[in-house]
Amino acid sequence: MTMPSSIVLRLQFMGAVFAALAWLAGCTTPPTVQPQATVFYPPPPDAPRIQHLATFANARDLTSSRSGFADFVLGAEGAEHALVRPYGATLFEGKLYVADSRAPGLVVFDLVARKFAIVEGAGAGRMQRPINVTIDTDGTRYITDTARNQVLVYDRGDRFVAAFGDKGEFKPVDTLVAGDRLYVVDIEHHEVRVLDKRTGKLLFKFGKPGSTEEGALFQPTNLALAPDGDIYVVETGNFRVSRFTRDGKFVRRFGESGQAPGNFARPKGIAVDRAGRVYVSDAAFQNVQVFDDRGRVLMVFGQPANGAAGLNLPAGVAIDYDNVALFQPRAAPGFKLEYVILVVSQFGPDQVDVFGFGRMEGASYPVDDKTAAKPGG
């Protein structure tokens, strides 16, 4: 049996007010009903590219979307099992993993079994202030902890394996896995460290404090892997994104401080899709900008927090192709998802927003997918 309820979201984006959004969730299986109203980016009459699909903040979001029925099933437990101050998130094998710095731990939303759990670690593996989580193809979890100033490693069964980094060595904020390498962004020393992902041994590092020289970094915070193996680094302190080869050679950079599309005020999270589109969140603009692989802005999506919902200090961004089937039932009729986008807000009632990138049947799109959306649309 399915017990639906709706959430009305007041959305404000780039100075415009869009329609309300409601989504329905089933008790034990992915929902098959459609939202009463959908929110697309760009909005009509342009062909839609991105749809808001769902939000996750507490255990109730795994049942019937914060309804009275959820309260009946979960009782007080539903309110207690909630995100506090998340930063990064990822999807893996039907589960949403969220690094919550105030839990403190790795919060797990099992989207199939509809269960909620918090992995805190124990003993030498206890988390203190987890910020970001990366999961390798074999299920190994790499968690950056900015209180311990280490990268904590757990196996697919959430058993502690190792801690990379000695006391005072670095301040890791984000990681990414590329082959046998683990790239770690060090915000304190303004550099990226490249480790052996199994032993934690330092292989090399790149970046140096600064703003003008090629390869200079200032307050780097997040990483993403391009389809060709290049490494993107968000420089929050320099209001830009820098691109390097996998061996640390500077390629190019884009972005600067400003208010126009393509500018940044407080960039943080970053993700890259298989076509090379680059997604960058901005905690000040409360949105996500999408760029092509040359750094040209394609579109902007998301909405500032206003009332019961919206992006509020967005941080981590992640793209997932493997769990699309879990979210396709939430898409509007005829909108076929290619992948889903996670955007994590550090504050507010809706802390992990799920968007879907796709195509609407019968809609006309430009031949070049990379320019399928209008800037600011």
Side-chain angles (χ1 to χ4, degrees):
M1 182 183 74
T2 302
M3 181 73 68
S5 68
S6 61
I7 305 173
V8 179
L9 307 182
R10 184 184 177 191
L11 304 179
Q12 181 182 3
F13 170 69
M14 301 297 284
V17 178
F18 293 100
L21 171 69
W23 61 277
L24 305 175
C27 298
T28 59
T29 59
T32 56
V33 293
Q34 307 300 332
Q36 294 176 356
T38 57
V39 174
F40 282 117
Y41 305 97
D46 292 310
R49 266 313 195 181
I50 293 174
Q51 180 189 345
H52 184 276
L53 300 173
T55 59
F56 292 91
N58 57 52
R60 291 190 179 95
D61 296 325
L62 289 168
T63 54
S64 56
S65 186
R66 304 173 187 155
S67 69
F69 179 72
D71 294 340
F72 174 76
V73 172
L74 295 170
E77 180 182 359
E80 293 173 359
H81 289 180
L83 296 171
V84 184
R85 189 169 181 179
Y87 188 102
T90 191
L91 283 161
F92 184 75
E93 294 184 344
K95 296 179 181 179
L96 171 63
Y97 294 84
V98 186
D100 191 335
S101 62
R102 295 284 180 87
L106 190 62
V107 178
V108 185
F109 293 83
D110 190 326
L111 305 180
V112 178
R114 302 286 171 159
K115 294 182 179 179
F116 180 101
I118 299 178
V119 179
E120 298 179 349
R126 182 170 292 279
M127 301 177 209
Q128 295 181 21
R129 194 184 300 147
I131 295 296
N132 259 315
V133 53
T134 299
I135 302 182
D136 203 354
T137 54
D138 65 355
T140 301
R141 293 91 154 95
Y142 297 93
I143 300 169
T144 49
D145 192 308
T146 57
R148 294 185 51 155
N149 289 335
Q150 292 178 313
V151 178
L152 306 180
V153 187
Y154 300 80
D155 65 16
R156 66 180 300 122
D158 296 322
R159 293 177 290 267
F160 177 67
V161 175
F164 295 162
D166 296 327
K167 184 176 180 180
E169 182 180 348
F170 60 5
K171 195 176 189 67
V173 179
D174 193 17
T175 62
L176 71 80
V177 176
D180 292 330
R181 295 174 175 180
L182 180 71
Y183 291 76
V184 184
V185 65
D186 181 358
I187 190 172
E188 184 173 346
H189 297 97
H190 313 285
E191 63 187 14
V192 177
R193 295 184 172 224
V194 186
L195 314 180
D196 181 294
K197 73 176 184 181
R198 296 182 178 85
T199 67
K201 178 183 177 181
L202 177 65
L203 302 177
F204 63 95
K205 54 188 178 180
F206 60 89
K208 53 187 175 182
S211 299
T212 58
E213 295 181 48
E214 285 192 356
L217 301 173
F218 186 63
Q219 294 181 343
T221 50
N222 289 269
L223 301 168
L225 183 66
D228 64 359
D230 280 0
I231 309 298
Y232 284 97
V233 184
V234 173
E235 298 180 64
T236 302
N238 275 335
F239 314 103
R240 68 190 184 199
V241 175
S242 288
R243 182 172 181 170
F244 298 83
T245 68
R246 66 188 310 272
D247 294 322
K249 181 180 178 181
F250 175 76
V251 177
R252 69 176 62 92
R253 60 172 68 118
F254 64 86
E256 61 182 0
S257 177
Q259 298 292 322
N263 295 158
F264 297 115
R266 201 183 306 163
K268 286 195 172 182
I270 186 169
V272 184
D273 71 9
R274 292 173 181 171
R277 302 181 191 91
V278 183
Y279 291 72
V280 184
S281 68
D282 196 301
F285 292 155
Q286 315 263 44
N287 63 18
V288 177
Q289 297 189 73
V290 187
F291 301 84
D292 68 11
D293 58 4
R294 303 293 297 182
R296 295 170 296 194
V297 65
L298 301 177
M299 69 175 294
V300 182
F301 72 92
Q303 64 283 341
N306 190 350
L311 300 183
N312 195 334
L313 292 183
V317 180
I319 286 174
D320 180 84
Y321 287 82
D322 299 329
N323 297 274
V324 170
L326 292 172
F327 294 96
Q328 183 60 57
R330 301 177 186 263
F335 191 66
K336 180 66 175 178
L337 300 181
E338 182 181 336
Y339 54 82
V340 295
I341 309 150
L342 307 178
V343 183
V344 182
S345 290
Q346 294 180 271
F347 292 98
D350 299 313
Q351 294 184 310
V352 180
D353 280 282
V354 183
F355 298 85
F357 180 95
R359 299 172 69 94
M360 179 65 74
E361 294 177 1
S364 177
Y365 293 90
V367 175
D368 182 2
D369 267 355
K370 292 185 179 181
T371 56
K374 297 179 180 179

